[in-house]
């Protein structure tokens, strides 16, 4: 298999770290936010943070499955995709709820634990929305691959994400 002149080995080398980064960020992102906010978080930030974590888990599972598929160890990949497909609407619902709670924190500051809570909520809501789009719709990440970045700069827009293409293949 080649993609844009790259071998399967090149593709695996590029994709292998993705699932590990996503999985690590399930722990790292909330921990970093708690530390940066000095623990000044409340319910306003919990829903968007949960949405972010769910989408990172979905991403980690998908990329791990994709790497295994590319290695020829794809037993169970279709089942994984069905599970990821089943989480599409719950992930979207949680993301929208996270956006709503972040907005609620700004509209009624008394509902939040303070400014840090509102900033964390907003950051997580934006991150969750971007992750949702990046996985279920369009590839937003272009900074890690020169060909993708050049395609974007050439004005060719955002291509359908790998996961969206695989989900379409389920039929």
């Amino acid at each position: 298999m080649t993609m844009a002149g790259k071998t399967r080995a090149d593709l695996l080398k590029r994709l292998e770290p993705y699932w590990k980064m996503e999985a690590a960020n399930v722990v790292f992102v909330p921990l970093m936010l708690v530390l940066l906010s000095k623990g000044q978080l409340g319910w306003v930030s919990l829903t968007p943070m949960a949405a972010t974590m769910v989408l990172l888990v979905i991403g980690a599972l998908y990329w791990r499955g994709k790497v295994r598929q590319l290695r020829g160890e794809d037993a169970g990949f279709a089942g994984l995709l069905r599970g990821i497909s089943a989480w599409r609407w719950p992930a979207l619902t949680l993301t929208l709820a996270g956006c709503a709670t972040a907005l609620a924190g700004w509209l009624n500051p008394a509902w939040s634990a303070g400014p840090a809570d509102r900033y964390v909520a907003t950051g997580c809501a934006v991150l969750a929305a971007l992750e949702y789009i990046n996985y279920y719709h369009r590839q937003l990440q272009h900074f890690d691959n020169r060909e993708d970045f050049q395609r974007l700069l050439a004005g060719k827009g955002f291509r359908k994400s790998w996961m969206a293409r695989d989900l379409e293949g389920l039929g």
Side-chain angles (χ1 to χ4, degrees):
M1 173 183 181
T2 62
M3 295 185 110
K6 300 287 182 179
T7 67
R8 182 184 299 258
D10 292 333
L11 189 57
L12 280 167
K13 183 178 179 181
R14 181 169 68 94
L15 296 180
E16 176 73 28
Y18 284 11
W19 75 270
K20 295 173 185 174
M21 287 186 297
E22 297 292 77
N25 280 330
V26 172
V27 174
F28 179 71
V29 168
L31 180 63
M32 180 186 67
L33 293 172
V34 167
L35 291 173
L36 288 174
S37 69
K38 298 178 182 167
Q40 300 298 308
L41 301 179
W43 73 270
V44 168
S45 58
L46 291 181
T47 303
M49 191 179 298
T52 299
M53 293 170 69
V54 163
L55 285 155
L56 289 169
V57 167
I58 288 169
L61 291 171
Y62 171 75
W63 285 117
R64 176 69 176 133
K66 189 65 178 177
V67 165
R68 290 181 55 116
Q69 180 196 41
L70 290 169
R71 284 188 183 145
E73 306 165 7
D74 65 347
F77 189 63
L80 173 66
L81 288 176
R82 283 190 292 279
I84 287 171
S85 180
W87 270 93
R88 180 182 191 140
W89 291 109
L92 177 60
T93 301
L94 190 56
T95 298
L96 293 174
C99 292
T101 59
L103 180 60
W106 289 104
L107 294 176
N108 190 345
W111 289 353
S112 74
D117 191 28
R118 294 188 296 275
Y119 286 120
V120 166
T122 302
C124 285
V126 169
L127 182 59
L130 291 173
E131 288 286 7
Y132 183 85
I133 293 165
N134 189 52
Y135 281 123
Y136 285 103
H137 297 285
R138 296 279 172 212
Q139 177 185 335
L140 299 178
Q141 182 175 321
H142 287 81
F143 58 84
D144 66 334
N145 183 287
R146 192 175 81 167
E147 290 85 11
D148 286 344
F149 190 64
Q150 287 174 336
R151 182 181 186 283
L152 184 65
L153 292 179
K156 295 182 181 174
F158 296 99
R159 72 175 71 188
K160 191 170 285 195
S161 71
W162 285 58
M163 194 170 91
R165 287 182 262 169
D166 282 340
L167 289 172
E168 281 179 358
L170 281 177

